[in-house]
Amino acid sequence: MQAYPSSIPDLLVRVLQKAGLLHRFNLYPTIRIGAKRFIVPLSRGVGVGNLRGFEPWMQHMITHLPALFPGLFLDVGVNIGQTLLKVKAHAPQLTYAGFEPNPACLAYVHDLIKRNKIENVSVFPVALGDHDGIIELVLNQDNPVDSSATVIPDFRPKHRVFQRLMIPGARFTTLEPLLPTEAVGFVKIDVEGSEYGVLRSMQDRIARDRPAIILEILPVHHAGNTQRLERQQAVESLFRTLDYEMLRLRGPHLPLKLERMQGPIGIHADQSLSNFLILPRDKVAAAMQVLGTELQ
């Protein structure tokens, strides 16, 4: 196993990845996000996702919304720190707390934090949800940091299972005393099907602090997928109870395009329609102003 310094060009990484050799090396390329440079460890190929695909829509929201929603940034589903890097590049003043149960992801993120000397960060080694205890994490890809890993049984029944991990789960109320005392200003949730459990666990804190929420809800695909549909409907009902409005992201590129939902999400199979910005109803107009966009 060889280690190379941070001057390694992205082209070399691409060549090694295409040749199937990236897993044989430890590399430390640097990337620039905005005005900030970060060292990105590539350990046996793990971490390559941090080199590309910086979701300009996400960066735009993280840059502008904290002015209206100040406070703690909660990242539910840290994976390899993609959102962490965006936060510390575009809103470095924010205190960040993340939740990630996958041991391989945790090891990588701790290395990322250490190498970049990132401050005001806490990462909790748990799957946030609606109960405390040991649960199963299913990986459907031959990748130790599989971003599609889920704690929902049979979430992808037709997909091959590459690994099953027993991990700790915890309710938000259990972990709340360990969090910084400031109000929650911003929440990002990417948990592959367990959105309702996370939101139900956080419901009282959301009602109190009224944060902005970025949420992925994967498509139901077909009417026979009743469990996905029921969880989706439960999420929509919870936001109605909290007097929040769901705005769907239309396309990943800038300028930002958000649309007001004219009804339920319903049944669809379009992966590009999976991301939502969810806001307190009384702050939607102000948020559109700071984001510099109009609802479609």
Side-chain angles (χ1 to χ4, degrees):
M1 182 67 63
Q2 300 183 56
Y4 290 88
S6 60
S7 59
I8 294 297
D10 185 58
L11 177 60
L12 176 58
V13 174
R14 291 175 183 271
V15 170
L16 290 172
Q17 187 177 27
K18 187 174 182 178
L21 298 173
L22 189 57
H23 67 282
R24 297 188 180 183
F25 297 86
N26 283 340
L27 307 175
Y28 301 93
T30 60
I31 59 170
R32 181 182 293 276
I33 306 177
K36 181 77 172 176
R37 294 195 72 87
F38 295 97
I39 298 169
V40 174
L42 300 183
S43 179
R44 297 179 180 269
V46 171
V48 71
N50 277 332
L51 296 180
R52 310 175 190 108
F54 285 104
E55 297 176 321
W57 64 270
M58 177 77 81
Q59 295 186 66
H60 188 74
M61 290 182 186
I62 290 172
T63 300
H64 293 91
L65 284 178
L68 189 61
F69 298 92
L72 181 64
F73 189 106
L74 295 184
D75 186 4
V76 188
V78 174
N79 195 244
I80 57 171
Q82 301 96 318
T83 301
L84 169 61
L85 293 179
K86 295 180 182 71
V87 170
K88 290 304 176 180
H90 296 289
Q93 77 282 3
L94 296 184
T95 302
Y96 170 102
F99 304 88
E100 175 56 54
N102 185 328
C105 293
L106 287 166
Y108 178 85
V109 169
H110 285 304
D111 188 26
L112 184 70
I113 292 169
K114 181 179 179 180
R115 290 186 184 278
N116 290 284
K117 298 181 173 61
I118 300 175
E119 299 179 343
N120 296 324
V121 170
S122 302
V123 180
F124 292 82
V126 299
L128 196 63
D130 56 4
H131 69 279
D132 301 324
I134 301 300
I135 56 179
E136 185 177 71
L137 180 71
V138 176
L139 279 68
N140 292 122
Q141 297 180 16
D142 188 16
N143 179 353
V145 294
D146 176 13
S147 62
S148 66
T150 180
V151 299
I152 300 297
D154 296 322
F155 187 65
R156 296 182 177 89
K158 296 182 180 180
H159 286 227
R160 178 181 174 185
V161 174
F162 281 88
Q163 192 173 10
R164 298 180 186 272
L165 302 174
M166 303 311 294
I167 58 165
R171 294 171 295 173
F172 183 80
T173 50
T174 302
L175 301 173
E176 200 167 11
L178 303 175
L179 291 169
T181 56
E182 61 192 294
V184 176
F186 209 120
V187 184
K188 185 226 83 180
I189 303 172
D190 185 351
V191 288
E192 304 297 308
S194 57
E195 300 83 24
Y196 179 61
V198 170
L199 290 164
R200 186 167 62 176
S201 175
M202 296 182 63
Q203 184 170 351
D204 290 345
R205 189 62 178 267
I206 293 171
R208 188 189 85 182
D209 293 348
R210 312 295 284 169
I213 300 170
I214 293 176
L215 176 66
E216 180 188 65
I217 302 178
L218 294 172
V220 171
H221 287 285
H222 55 82
N225 206 339
T226 55
Q227 290 187 1
R228 278 204 193 193
L229 181 58
E230 289 170 0
R231 286 192 296 269
Q232 177 178 281
Q233 291 170 337
V235 169
E236 293 174 289
S237 176
L238 185 146
F239 282 128
R240 286 193 296 271
T241 298
L242 291 168
D243 198 26
Y244 266 65
E245 183 165 357
M246 299 183 69
L247 309 174
R248 178 149 45 193
L249 178 73
R250 296 302 299 243
H253 305 295
L254 296 178
L256 190 66
K257 296 179 181 178
L258 292 164
E259 69 172 359
R260 180 167 270 144
M261 301 295 293
Q262 301 301 320
I265 297 171
I267 298 170
H268 69 90
D270 190 343
Q271 189 82 16
S272 71
L273 301 179
S274 298
N275 292 304
F276 296 84
L277 174 63
I278 300 124
L279 300 170
R281 197 172 299 277
D282 61 346
K283 286 193 174 183
V284 171
M288 295 307 101
Q289 185 173 4
V290 300
L291 289 171
T293 188
E294 296 182 0
L295 289 176
Q296 301 187 10

